[in-house]
Amino acid sequence: MFFVEAIELEGLGNRSYLAGGRRTAVVVDPPRDIDRVLAAAARRGVALTHVVETHIHNDYVTGGLELARITGAAYLVPADAHVPFVRTAVSDGDTVVIDAELTLTAVATPGHTPHHTAYVLSEVGQPVAAFTGGSLLIGTVGRPDLVEPRLTEQLARAQHASARRLADALPDETEVLPTHGFGSFCSSAQADGESTTIGKEKAANPALTIDVDTFVAELLAGLEDVPAYYAHMGPANAAGPAPVDLTPPAVADPDDIAARLAEGEWVVDLRNRIAFAEGHVAGSFNFEADGKLATYLAWLIPWGKPVTLLAESAEQLAAAQRELVRVGIDRPAAAATGGPADWLRAGESSASFPRATFAELAGQGRGRIVVLDVRRSSERVEGWIEGSVHIPIHQVHRRIDDVPDGVVWVHCAGGMRAGIAASLLDAAGRDVVAVDDGFGAAAEAGLTIVTG
């Protein structure tokens, strides 16, 4: 009997996998915080004999090298990946024994990267699961534009061929277990569902249902902006990431917080957007701990700029640190817990801004009101509020001056990104209202929605 356990990285929209038998196991595409993998293996009573990477990742920092060092497991990395550290170079067709009657076979699947490799898990010689990394995903494939712009079309064509190679080689009942596609921007589209098989993908995945030219044209047309921090993930993984330090950072008192803000450092409030809007340290930014903290903070912050975290509790702070190390923000400069009363100097007052619904926006006279849409371009094309200004969330901090004068009513699709944008505008001294509402309510409120 074999098992496969998914290790969810919800904030990044990825999955790692622990798979094995009664005594030994392999981990595929492990996260940076390897204690989660070690705990899962201990819970199942198995020893790690192999750590494998499907590719050099562009969206998170791997824990593979450190995990292999600690456990003594063989570290399997595609042979064509250029890395300086000692590893077992894996080529197409290479097979390793994981446990009794359980093997793992490498399958070259270029496309997401030139060296991308999937791994097929077989029991008694029969394929049972395919760890497809960033090749064949649920209903889509990994994006091909993260390596080199001149290679994008070539890699898109390779994605089509790789998906078909897997589909042709594996039984329909083989489980497909991708790393990306659960919210990750490494996916060329978002997954529709939580699980799939080769047979299901044959019926629904564009890579397996349409011709290569149509597939490539549609894939390239649908690609969106690449998160800025991706530029730093590949080099970090290729060089060999350092071990993480999740111990609590230095404690910041109110004077420290004020000094860091004065120096232009980022002070990030992790509380939910409702609490932040009601009262916060002037100049701080709001990235909710329960939102896509790692993705959006890493995307927006100038790389390498010191960040101080403000959290409700030690538990919230620890969870945020864990998320951030996964994208290479290794050590906060400082941190504080509690609330604004604990973070402000004597005599200082908290800042605040109002929240509203689309119905309240519809009741406003336009006058000096600015409606700012911070959704992605692919979201906006489906419909936008007439007269609204569009600046995607990841551009707002660099384009504050592009926001017209007036009270800014900022919205996204649900409220989280509007909360981030509102905090950025508020810190810049703008009058802002955060529309904390689902975009579907805009038309219901009587606002004119433009499409086309």
Side-chain angles (χ1 to χ4, degrees), residues 400-446:
I400 296 289
D401 291 341
D402 292 341
V403 181
D405 293 338
V407 179
V408 184
W409 289 61
V410 57
H411 80 85
C412 58
M416 181 194 74
R417 289 171 292 175
I420 296 173
S423 74
L424 298 172
L425 290 160
D426 176 72
R430 298 296 302 269
D431 289 330
V432 63
V433 178
V435 180
D436 197 352
D437 202 358
F439 187 70
E444 297 173 5

Side-chain angles (χ1 to χ4, degrees), residues 17-20 24-30 37 47-53 64 67-68 71-77 88 90 95-99 102-104 119:
Y17 298 94
L18 179 71
T24 51
V26 58
V27 63
V28 180
D29 291 342
V37 179
L48 284 179
T49 56
H50 297 82
V51 176
V52 305
E53 306 282 7
L67 185 59
T71 62
Y75 190 30
L76 278 56
V77 178
T88 300
V90 177
T95 298
V96 295
V97 175
I98 301 302
D99 203 301
L102 197 64
T103 59
L104 195 69
Y119 298 86

Side-chain angles (χ1 to χ4, degrees), residues 86-383:
V86 176
R87 90 290 194 200
T88 300
V90 177
S91 299
D92 186 49
D94 286 353
T95 298
V96 295
V97 175
I98 301 302
D99 203 301
E101 301 182 328
L102 197 64
T103 59
L104 195 69
T105 300
V107 181
T109 47
H112 187 47
T113 66
H115 60 264
H116 191 283
T117 300
Y119 298 86
V120 175
L121 185 69
S122 297
E123 186 179 41
V124 197
Q126 180 68 19
V128 291
F131 301 104
T132 55
S135 54
L136 184 64
L137 310 184
I138 301 177
T140 186
V141 295
R143 59 192 300 170
D145 61 331
L146 302 180
V147 178
E148 159 61 56
R150 292 171 294 182
L151 295 178
T152 296
E153 181 174 348
Q154 175 186 329
L155 290 175
R157 291 182 178 277
Q159 279 290 53
H160 188 270
S162 291
R164 292 184 174 230
R165 182 185 184 194
L166 290 169
D168 291 344
L170 299 173
D172 283 358
E173 62 271 19
T174 307
E175 194 170 6
V176 175
L177 301 172
T179 299
H180 304 313
F182 308 96
S184 168
F185 284 93
C186 263
S187 176
S188 60
Q190 294 312 305
D192 183 16
E194 291 294 312
S195 62
T196 192
T197 62
I198 288 292
K200 290 178 182 178
E201 292 308 301
K202 283 182 178 179
N205 196 307
L208 304 176
T209 58
I210 60 178
D211 67 273
V212 63
D213 290 334
T214 304
F215 169 79
V216 170
E218 293 181 357
L219 178 63
L220 299 186
L223 295 174
E224 299 192 78
D225 289 349
V226 178
Y229 72 93
Y230 277 25
H232 306 280
M233 301 297 96
N237 287 322
V244 299
D245 178 2
L246 291 174
T247 59
V251 176
D253 64 22
D255 288 333
D256 294 326
I257 293 169
R260 291 181 182 281
L261 284 168
E263 288 294 321
E265 296 183 11
W266 277 38
V267 174
V268 172
D269 191 325
L270 300 169
R271 296 174 301 147
N272 69 65
R273 57 186 181 268
I274 298 172
F276 183 87
E278 290 176 347
H280 55 269
V281 177
S284 63
F285 303 140
N286 182 216
F287 290 80
E288 291 181 295
D290 293 336
K292 282 184 167 288
L293 169 65
T295 294
Y296 285 108
L297 180 55
W299 197 340
L300 271 64
I301 192 171
W303 197 253
K305 181 174 281 291
V307 58
T308 292
L309 300 178
L310 306 180
E312 286 182 319
S313 64
E315 292 76 18
Q316 186 181 67
L317 174 61
Q321 280 187 258
R322 181 176 291 272
E323 278 209 50
L324 294 177
V325 298
R326 295 171 184 161
V327 291
I329 301 177
D330 284 5
R331 292 294 296 168
T337 58
D342 304 298
W343 306 330
L344 292 167
R345 294 175 295 184
E348 288 183 326
S349 299
S350 62
S352 64
F353 53 78
R355 295 165 52 251
T357 63
F358 282 110
E360 290 171 297
L361 172 58
Q364 298 294 311
R366 282 306 174 94
R368 288 176 56 81
I369 284 184
V370 178
V371 179
L372 176 63
D373 181 350
V374 298
R375 296 174 300 160
R376 298 190 303 275
S377 296
S378 63
E379 296 172 282
R380 184 172 169 87
V381 76
E382 298 295 325

